[in-house]
Amino acid sequence: MRDRLVERPHLFSLLGLAGVVALLPALREGRRRACWLVPLVAAWANFHAGAFLGPLVIAMVGVGLLAKGRVSRRVVLTHAVAAGLCTLALMATPVGVGIFRYLAFHSDIFALHPVDEFRSVSWLSDAPLLIFATALLLLLAAGALRRLFVPARDLVPVIGMAVLAGRTVRFGADFILLGTLLLAPLWPRLTAPWSGRLSTALQAQLDRACAALLVVLALVPRVSDWERHRPFLFIDLDRASLPLAALD
């Protein structure tokens, strides 16, 4: 995740994925706001080719709804149409249909050129990703023990993204983001028996403490750079991994 939260086009991909997830309830409920999915994916495609995740997530949500059963045909058809329209929206770029050739080329790019972000996951390089996946499994297991289950519409997309991340580590950040957004609601359901025993004031203090911790964790790398006499905030090319000596 750290390698993705830097100044690169993949940031737009993470933003687009969050936008699609935010519109999923509107799509499920048949609200007009879901129409924004198509222009969102079109704009996303012009910033990053990872926009194909938009229609893919919508399609996987539809599969999850089918797996659940007892869902109206209208809802399933709505997701199918939305996935189809968002797939067409991928072509709203200067390359048009060429985006599909570009994506197909990248499906096996590691065999042609060993780019690090297209390798498979390993413990040595991707321990935080594997720890996150393990934490998600433990969360789901704890929920199952208490008969608190995640809806299939939320679980199927997370599983699909986990498969993508396992095959190509570049999808690790997308898996973390999607897993957090879709499975986080299970946590308060699990902790409800204990949180009900806490006073409102104590809960507010815990919320502030968590927010402060997130701020501290965000500032630690910046303070570290400042102590090494580097700019506190800067946008520049990271030259650490570039073989500049070989170019001289």
Side-chain angles (χ1 to χ4, degrees):
M1 191 72 171
R2 179 187 61 187
D3 296 332
R4 298 290 154 189
L5 294 178
V6 294
E7 303 81 7
R8 52 174 297 161
H10 198 179
L11 281 179
F12 294 104
S13 200
L14 297 176
L15 182 61
L17 183 59
V20 167
V21 171
L23 290 171
L24 287 177
L27 180 63
R28 187 169 61 251
E29 297 164 9
R31 287 182 281 156
R32 291 183 179 180
R33 196 160 65 101
C35 294
W36 285 102
L37 282 167
V38 176
L40 170 62
V41 171
W44 181 0
N46 280 274
F47 284 102
H48 194 262
F52 80 94
L53 293 177
L56 180 62
V57 167
I58 295 171
M60 288 191 291
V61 171
V63 171
L65 290 170
L66 277 175
K68 174 186 176 183
R70 292 182 297 177
V71 62
S72 69
R73 292 183 179 180
R74 180 192 63 80
V75 174
V76 176
L77 180 61
T78 299
H79 282 74
V81 171
L85 291 176
C86 287
T87 300
L88 293 176
L90 293 175
M91 295 185 288
T93 69
V95 297
V97 295
I99 191 172
F100 299 113
R101 291 193 298 271
Y102 178 81
L103 292 172
F105 169 74
H106 280 75
S107 66
D108 199 30
I109 191 175
F110 195 78
L112 302 174
H113 182 59
V115 181
D116 184 70
E117 67 176 0
F118 291 100
R119 59 174 172 75
S120 57
V121 173
S122 69
W123 172 258
L124 181 63
S125 300
D126 312 300
L129 174 61
L130 295 175
I131 292 173
F132 176 83
T134 302
L136 277 191
L137 288 175
L138 292 175
L139 181 67
L140 292 171
L145 290 175
R146 297 192 52 197
R147 304 190 66 80
L148 297 173
F149 301 102
V150 174
R153 67 171 187 264
D154 294 337
L155 189 58
V156 171
V158 175
I159 293 175
M161 197 66 71
V163 172
L164 278 177
R167 185 179 185 274
T168 304
V169 74
R170 74 164 310 283
F171 295 108
D174 305 272
F175 163 60
I176 291 174
L177 178 62
L178 191 65
T180 301
L181 292 175
L182 294 182
L183 301 187
L186 179 59
W187 179 253
R189 294 167 61 195
L190 276 173
T191 58
W194 298 281
S195 60
R197 302 174 186 174
L198 301 178
S199 65
T200 304
L202 182 56
Q203 288 186 20
Q205 291 177 0
L206 289 175
D207 290 341
R208 286 193 290 268
C210 289
L213 177 61
L214 291 175
V215 171
V216 170
L217 291 176
L219 289 177
V220 164
R222 306 279 65 83
V223 173
S224 176
D225 282 342
W226 178 74
E227 289 180 342
R228 287 182 288 182
H229 305 289
R230 296 178 180 177
F232 185 78
L233 290 174
F234 70 99
I235 298 177
D236 198 0
L237 177 67
D238 183 3
R239 302 172 182 271
S241 58
L242 297 177
L244 297 179
L247 301 178
D248 292 337

